[in-house]
Amino acid sequence: MKTLADLRPGEAGVIVKVGGDPDLRLRLMQMGLLAGEHIQVVRYAPFGDPLEIEVRGGHLSLRKENAREILIEPLPGASATRG
Amino acid sequence: MVRESLLADAAPQSLHHQGTLLVALAGNPNTGKTTLFNSLTGLRHKVGNYPGVTVEKKMGAYRDGDGAVVDVLDLPGTYSLTARSPDEEIARRVVLGEMENVPRPDLVVAVVDATNIERNLFLAAQVFETGIPTLIALTMMDVAADEGIAVDVAALEKELGVPVVPVIATRSVGLAELKRRIAKSARHAARGRGWALEARIEREIAEVARRLRDRHLAPPESCDAEAIRLVGIEGTPQRIAARGGAEVDQAVSAARDALTRAGFESDTFETERRYGWLRPIAARCVRRAAGCRRTVSARVDGVLTHRVGGPALFLGLLAFIFQAIFAWATVPMGWIESLVGGIGSVVASLMPAGALQSLLVDGVVGGVGSVVVFLPQILFLFFFIGLMEDTGYMARVAFMMDRVMRNVGLHGKSCIPLLSSFACAVPGILATRTMENRRDRLVTILIAPLMSCSARLPIYTLFIAAFIPGSSLVKAGVMTGLYLLGVVVAIGVALVLKRTLARGESVPLVLELPPYRWPRLRTVMVQMGDRSRLFLKNAGTVILASSVILWALSYYPRPPQELAAAGASPVEHSFAGKIGHAMSPVLDPLGFDWRIGVGILLSFAAREVFVSAMGTIYNVDATGEGTGALAARLQSAVWESGPHLGQPIFTLSVAIALLVFYVLSCQCVSTLAVVRRETNSWRWPVFLFGYMTVLAYSGAWVAGRVTSLAGG
């Protein structure tokens, strides 16, 4: 299974499961990272971590170690943002 | 409910206690909530803290169309009411009417960003599910229109079942309508929950709610929301115990069993179901034109967070800010100095020489003046911080610097408070308010005073000029070394604190990167005003008191006539002088004489007072041109007694030891007072002062030893 941290900038996927620390998981879900949601990696920070993601038009930043807890189904190609 | 306006002095009409409404603003961060608050209340507002916590409490008031006074409480910006952070806990308790000294609001205005409706409605729904009268203010309507987002307000209102009022707070559009609807909707109970679970689970939840209601454990209209919380994410044993114990516990367990049998997780069903209800509503009420969302912002981000360009631009910006603080701010600082000097001379000329004159001129005016002189730097700093926050750039700084700050065990958000502390630790510590994680915030507060602030600069300049041999390049190198020393020690302290006092897994923060926006000058100005008021309040109380005490120590007792006539410094005869002498056993290992001891003692009000204290002790006017004279006087000062009789007091090793002492010590009442205020306890300022003094003393000893061994 791939995780969010496996995606390169511009690549997108569909969230399968948000895992990890219960508080963080809850916070991410409250911010809209639910299973079935389309998610895209926008860029990595200049020093390689954290990463910027886009979900439902909102941009969030989270650290790689947390991105590894988010299981995704990659979407083919550098998919465009869903509108 | 009849009560007095919480802003009685700002709104005199409400003094007859009739019908003052209390409205709370709730909303996600970056939604224009603060702008709306400012537009509603104008400049009439008060800032304080909630009891026991360091969350900022902002109150204001306005008069509506009928002339009635409406109090407005700006709740902290949160993404939910789940009470996992201090901010959320406050927002939740206010909405449920459980906050001490804050009555339950008559209405909550849920601020919803029209460009990000779904996520914002999540919080709004949590609010109106508690049954409290709720109104949605739809902000950023202009930005939404620019981004091709159209909202069918009437449909949204109908589907959600709560009033929705579109506003453009920056241009005061829709405010009159908002005020009218607030007056109309207040005290009309909200609709409650709009989503449902399977009938079997609902029955169990209703049972929990019934028990809460029967035992008056929550406001009747909030029992359903409270039951959902207990069954779900907040059903910790402690919370259940606080909410009625065994009987409720039993009902909660039954509801959880029903949930599990239906295939739900107790900590996620609420979030999933609420979004499951809101998303179709948003889809029906919001139309997006294809392809033009956030394109400008995304392009700006491509530059500002670029792999190379991003950090480079950030460094450039920092250089600019430091230029402003250390070069441009010196002009108004000069004005304040002259003003303070002028007031001092006027006071001195108006009254006969004596204790009272000295108290007013040296103690009150001089003491408070030496701290107030930093006001321009603080204003400049908060102007830039405000701009960075308001445009959305601050979030990018945290994003870029997170990796770096993490090496020290901190978060990207610690970056700005620490950088601000190079100007002054007080605004730096106040700037930690944007940090949500308590531990990270505490560590940042405790290391911020190690950044060399501008009050240390006069001491560095004087001693480097007088005692560091070599070219100006060497002197500049030593100056840089002092700044670096503070940073390196701060890193060490942070690493130690993270492994000891502030241990425990820190909640990994999710950072929102809001779209870039043009800054709103008013928001920036209001924030500048609030923070500088805090600073001045400090100067008027704690610093005034300590200045007077320190003055008394250096003034009393007076020397006998014959000594004064002989030209001896009256300071030697004073309590401060006696304390200085008494400190000898402590000072000796560092090679400091009693005069340095007095200087250190008196500089407790503000570090740069050390320079003027030296001036007083050596009878040299240390202002303006006088620093050169003071440097010369210090170079020629010799021991008048003891084993070093006749030798110079200020050797290179003493000068270096003294410099290191000032890099590492927390000789600053303002900093300690603001730490006391921000942590709400005496423990942390005492700890801060203690650890920094130990570091400073041992650091000075080592530095002195190394220098003399190297032949200094």
Side-chain angles (χ1 to χ4, degrees):
Chain A
M1 191 94 227
K2 287 220 165 190
T3 73
L4 185 60
D6 297 323
L7 294 185
R8 287 195 301 264
E11 291 183 340
V14 173
I15 300 174
V16 175
K17 186 178 190 306
V18 180
D21 170 81
D23 276 339
L24 179 70
R25 177 169 177 243
L26 178 65
R27 169 54 38 92
L28 289 174
M29 292 180 73
Q30 287 175 339
M31 292 176 102
L33 273 74
L34 300 176
E37 209 57 67
H38 180 280
I39 190 166
Q40 185 180 16
V41 171
V42 179
R43 64 169 57 82
Y44 282 83
F47 301 107
D49 196 16
L51 61 158
E52 178 180 347
I53 53 162
E54 184 183 336
V55 176
R56 291 226 166 205
H59 288 232
L60 302 177
S61 151
L62 63 157
R63 290 174 177 174
K64 262 191 209 164
E65 64 188 47
N66 305 126
R68 274 194 280 273
E69 307 271 13
I70 299 174
L71 302 180
I72 52 130
E73 190 68 58
L75 288 174
S79 117
T81 322
R82 195 172 63 161
Chain B
M1 193 195 290
V2 172
R3 70 166 161 263
E4 202 172 332
S5 167
L6 293 163
L7 264 193
D9 52 340
Q13 260 78 353
S14 66
L15 281 176
H16 54 271
H17 306 181
Q18 283 300 323
T20 305
L21 283 183
L22 174 62
V23 171
L25 298 188
N28 290 6
N30 314 306
T31 49
K33 187 164 68 71
T34 304
T35 315
L36 182 61
F37 177 84
N38 290 340
S39 311
L40 277 175
T41 61
L43 293 171
R44 297 187 307 180
H45 71 270
K46 279 183 184 173
V47 182
N49 272 7
Y50 288 97
V53 287
T54 56
V55 176
E56 199 168 82
K57 175 182 171 188
K58 220 154 110 184
M59 289 282 315
Y62 70 85
R63 211 178 297 277
D64 73 7
D66 307 327
V69 172
V70 178
D71 284 333
V72 186
L73 175 63
D74 191 17
L75 292 175
T78 59
Y79 294 105
S80 87
L81 289 185
T82 316
R84 292 278 169 124
S85 75
D87 285 6
E88 288 173 349
E89 175 73 27
I90 295 287
R92 205 187 86 87
R93 282 168 66 192
V94 170
V95 167
L96 284 178
E98 291 177 354
M99 195 72 210
E100 308 113 74
N101 305 326
V102 181
R104 193 176 197 204
D106 299 296
L107 176 100
V108 175
V109 172
V111 181
V112 168
D113 176 353
T115 65
N116 200 339
I117 282 197
E118 275 171 30
R119 201 194 65 210
N120 281 265
L121 281 181
F122 185 87
L123 174 68
Q126 276 190 323
V127 171
F128 64 67
E129 283 169 19
T130 67
I132 197 165
T134 307
L135 181 152
I136 289 175
L138 207 52
T139 56
M140 306 274 175
M141 288 300 279
D142 48 344
V143 185
D146 291 346
E147 292 178 10
I149 298 171
V151 183
D152 185 342
V153 175
L156 193 63
E157 193 168 88
K158 194 154 164 273
E159 296 232 25
L160 291 174
V162 287
V164 179
V165 183
V167 291
I168 305 173
T170 41
R171 281 185 261 137
S172 296
V173 175
L175 282 187
E177 174 67 7
L178 180 67
K179 290 178 182 177
R180 199 180 63 77
R181 297 284 289 270
I182 286 173
K184 210 176 116 196
S185 313
R187 296 167 187 166
H188 288 283
R191 55 157 304 161
R193 183 151 56 99
W195 47 278
L197 295 144
E198 280 72 1
R200 198 156 36 92
I201 306 171
E202 284 294 343
R203 268 199 303 278
E204 302 294 348
I205 287 171
E207 180 57 24
V208 177
R210 189 186 64 78
R211 293 187 188 190
L212 292 173
R213 194 174 295 120
D214 288 352
R215 305 183 60 178
H216 307 286
L217 291 164
E221 67 278 13
S222 307
C223 285
D224 174 62
E226 201 51 24
I228 293 270
R229 260 184 239 283
L230 287 181
V231 172
I233 41 191
E234 288 203 4
T236 56
Q238 301 92 306
R239 264 206 90 75
I240 293 175
R243 288 282 183 208
E247 198 191 323
V248 172
D249 191 16
Q250 197 189 0
V252 167
S253 302
R256 280 194 185 154
D257 287 344
L259 269 174
T260 316
R261 276 197 300 276
F264 291 105
E265 287 180 66
S266 66
D267 58 344
T268 57
F269 79 92
E270 180 191 344
T271 308
E272 281 168 352
R273 279 301 163 107
R274 189 174 294 117
Y275 268 125
W277 174 59
L278 289 171
R279 287 191 163 161
I281 294 178
R284 286 193 291 271
C285 302
V286 181
R287 290 268 167 276
R288 293 173 191 277
C292 60
R293 268 185 306 154
R294 288 190 53 140
T295 42
V296 179
S297 193
R299 241 175 281 149
V300 173
D301 244 352
V303 178
L304 292 185
T305 62
H306 183 266
R307 205 158 279 270
V308 182
L313 278 168
F314 177 54
L315 280 181
L317 183 67
L318 277 186
F320 179 80
I321 293 176
F322 276 87
Q323 171 70 16
I325 289 170
F326 288 114
W328 304 337
T330 52
V331 178
M333 284 169 89
W335 299 338
I336 295 182
E337 266 171 4
S338 339
L339 183 69
V340 169
I343 294 174
S345 337
V346 169
V347 173
S349 68
L350 285 180
M351 51 203 314
L356 186 61
Q357 187 213 51
S358 178
L359 166 68
L360 289 177
V361 176
D362 302 326
V364 176
V365 178
V368 172
S370 65
V371 174
V372 170
V373 72
F374 293 106
L375 186 62
Q377 286 190 329
I378 286 175
L379 285 173
F380 268 64
L381 198 63
F382 274 120
F383 176 72
F384 289 114
I385 290 181
L387 275 187
M388 287 162 78
E389 268 174 0
D390 210 43
T391 50
Y393 184 65
M394 194 67 105
R396 272 73 183 186
V397 171
F399 174 66
M400 287 193 287
M401 299 312 291
D402 187 63
R403 188 72 195 80
V404 179
M405 300 308 292
R406 214 171 139 191
N407 291 332
V408 193
L410 289 174
H411 183 266
K413 281 192 179 175
S414 319
C415 194
I416 294 298
L418 291 179
L419 290 171
S420 306
S421 301
F422 282 112
C424 175
V426 172
I429 288 165
L430 290 176
T432 62
R433 287 185 172 186
T434 59
M435 300 177 63
E436 295 135 65
N437 185 314
R438 246 192 77 81
R439 285 194 194 88
D440 286 352
R441 186 171 176 217
L442 186 62
V443 173
T444 309
I445 287 175
L446 291 177
I447 63 170
L450 282 168
M451 306 295 126
S452 282
C453 63
S454 49
R456 285 161 167 123
L457 209 50
I459 303 174
Y460 292 179
T461 315
L462 175 67
F463 278 83
I464 288 177
F467 300 103
I468 301 296
S471 66
S472 60
L473 205 64
V474 175
K475 290 176 199 268
V478 171
M479 181 71 96
T480 313
L482 295 176
Y483 276 84
L484 283 179
L485 176 67
V487 173
V488 169
V489 171
I491 291 173
V493 171
L495 288 173
V496 170
L497 286 176
K498 272 297 204 178
R499 276 164 186 71
T500 53
L501 283 177
R503 198 174 39 200
E505 86 273 32
S506 57
V507 182
L509 274 182
V510 184
L511 191 68
E512 193 190 358
L513 300 170
Y516 288 105
R517 302 212 160 99
W518 285 111
R520 286 139 296 188
L521 201 59
R522 185 176 171 142
T523 309
V524 177
M525 292 299 184
V526 166
Q527 204 209 2
M528 258 168 81
D530 285 347
R531 300 278 152 95
S532 19
R533 248 203 307 279
L534 261 179
F535 175 75
L536 288 179
K537 203 173 146 194
N538 227 342
T541 52
V542 183
I543 296 167
L544 176 63
S546 53
S547 301
V548 169
I549 293 169
L550 292 173
W551 166 83
L553 285 180
S554 65
Y555 190 82
Y556 291 109
R558 305 301 300 153
Q561 285 292 317
E562 61 276 14
L563 262 180
S569 165
V571 177
E572 179 159 18
H573 206 78
S574 70
F575 289 121
K578 291 193 173 73
I579 295 173
H581 280 294
M583 281 161 75
S584 289
V586 186
L587 296 173
D588 276 342
L590 302 179
F592 294 178
D593 81 335
W594 68 271
R595 296 180 182 87
I596 302 180
V598 172
I600 290 173
L601 181 71
L602 297 183
S603 70
F604 200 54
R607 291 177 179 95
E608 93 280 17
V609 166
F610 183 82
V611 174
S612 57
M614 287 292 119
T616 314
I617 293 169
Y618 285 108
N619 283 323
V620 179
D621 180 12
T623 56
E625 296 294 301
T627 42
L630 181 58
R633 182 71 189 80
L634 292 181
Q635 281 163 344
S636 63
V638 290
W639 289 90
E640 287 153 0
S641 62
H644 306 291
L645 185 70
Q647 293 171 16
I649 295 172
F650 293 95
T651 57
L652 179 61
S653 59
V654 165
I656 297 270
L658 192 63
L659 285 170
V660 169
F661 182 86
Y662 270 100
V663 170
L664 301 177
S665 68
C666 193
Q667 290 288 111
C668 181
V669 175
S670 321
T671 301
L672 295 173
V674 80
V675 171
R676 155 81 187 88
R677 194 192 162 87
E678 294 299 296
T679 59
N680 250 309
S681 96
W682 281 110
R683 200 165 99 210
W684 296 114
V686 167
F687 172 77
L688 176 68
F689 180 70
Y691 101 75
M692 285 185 68
T693 305
V694 169
L695 272 184
Y697 187 85
S698 30
W701 186 82
V702 171
R705 272 304 151 100
V706 170
T707 314
S708 47
L709 285 179

